[in-house]
Amino acid sequence: MIVLETPRLILRHLTWDDLDDMAAIFSDPIVMKFYPNIYTYEQTKQWMQRIINGWEQRGWGLWATIHKADNKFIGRCGLIPQLVDGQQEVEVGYMLAKEYWGQGLATQAAIASRNYGFEQLGFNRLISLIDPGNIASQKVAMKNGMKYEKDAQMWGKTVRFYTISKE
């Protein structure tokens, strides 16, 4: 089911048909450089189950990201709940296959996710949690109107905490 479209992307619900494509992205050491480790096929399956369950429980979550020009699954983006310093937050998340980096697609996905969170779901604040070394993702967050707020401890490491509030 298509949720959103941008000029170059279709954002839709993840389905089990996306498992192989997502597993290929999660197993790429370049894409996963700033994550604790690459995912096995089984870990990707468990991740997909959590995302699908989240949609059923909350009615929102991460979407499959489809590149319109070639109709290819290129990653995932959307909104994900996070507990940061004891505070419940909603993160704008994005991850694309490396072949699609540097084309402004992550920024398009992030802006669409932000707008959906504010306009459709009524959130007043959104965050992005980014590894300090991931300069490209920090640039996407800033293009999404976010500002660096602080460093936080997540997943056993320091992450940069970017935020935006509904105007």
Side-chain angles (χ1 to χ4, degrees), residues 97-115:
K98 67 180 174 286
E99 299 80 24
Y100 294 88
W101 291 0
Q103 302 173 38
L105 297 170
T107 299
Q108 252 184 47
I111 290 169
S113 300
R114 175 202 69 199
N115 292 345

Side-chain angles (χ1 to χ4, degrees), residues 83-88:
L83 189 64
V84 184
D85 296 335
Q87 179 76 32
Q88 194 61 50

Side-chain angles (χ1 to χ4, degrees), residues 1-166:
M1 176 175 101
I2 294 175
V3 180
L4 291 172
E5 286 192 49
T6 74
R8 297 186 290 154
L9 300 171
I10 294 170
L11 307 179
R12 64 161 172 77
H13 286 268
L14 279 158
T15 70
W16 287 109
D17 291 339
D18 300 320
L19 179 60
D20 289 347
D21 290 326
M22 196 72 245
I25 293 169
F26 276 163
S27 68
D28 185 329
I30 295 169
V31 174
M32 298 298 283
K33 177 180 180 181
F34 298 107
Y35 286 77
N37 51 313
I38 62 172
Y39 283 25
T40 63
Y41 194 82
E42 189 54 40
Q43 288 170 316
T44 303
K45 223 167 148 175
Q46 292 167 5
W47 177 87
M48 290 267 300
Q49 189 63 63
R50 283 194 310 276
I51 298 305
I52 290 168
N53 290 348
W55 268 100
E56 291 168 0
Q57 293 162 6
R58 292 183 304 275
W60 55 271
L62 294 172
W63 298 298
T65 306
I66 310 301
H67 189 241
K68 283 182 179 179
D70 54 15
N71 201 35
K72 285 220 166 94
F73 178 100
I74 64 167
R76 53 93 172 147
C77 71
L79 304 167
I80 190 95
Q82 297 287 5
L83 189 64
V84 184
D85 296 335
Q87 179 76 32
Q88 194 61 50
E89 302 277 4
V90 178
E91 180 180 17
V92 174
Y94 36 90
M95 176 187 284
L96 301 181
K98 67 180 174 286
E99 299 80 24
Y100 294 88
W101 291 0
Q103 302 173 38
L105 297 170
T107 299
Q108 252 184 47
I111 290 169
S113 300
R114 175 202 69 199
N115 292 345
Y116 188 87
F118 286 154
E119 296 164 13
Q120 305 301 315
L121 300 175
F123 295 127
N124 291 317
R125 170 179 150 109
L126 296 168
I127 69 165
S128 283
L129 301 169
I130 304 170
D131 187 284
N134 192 340
I135 303 304
S137 280
Q138 292 176 51
K139 287 179 180 177
V140 170
M142 289 184 277
K143 289 176 188 170
N144 197 17
M146 294 184 160
K147 304 263 186 276
Y148 170 77
E149 187 172 292
K150 65 181 179 177
D151 284 350
Q153 292 300 309
M154 296 285 295
W155 313 294
K157 68 178 192 170
T158 300
V159 295
R160 300 203 82 194
F161 187 88
Y162 285 81
T163 64
I164 186 171
S165 295
K166 192 174 185 177

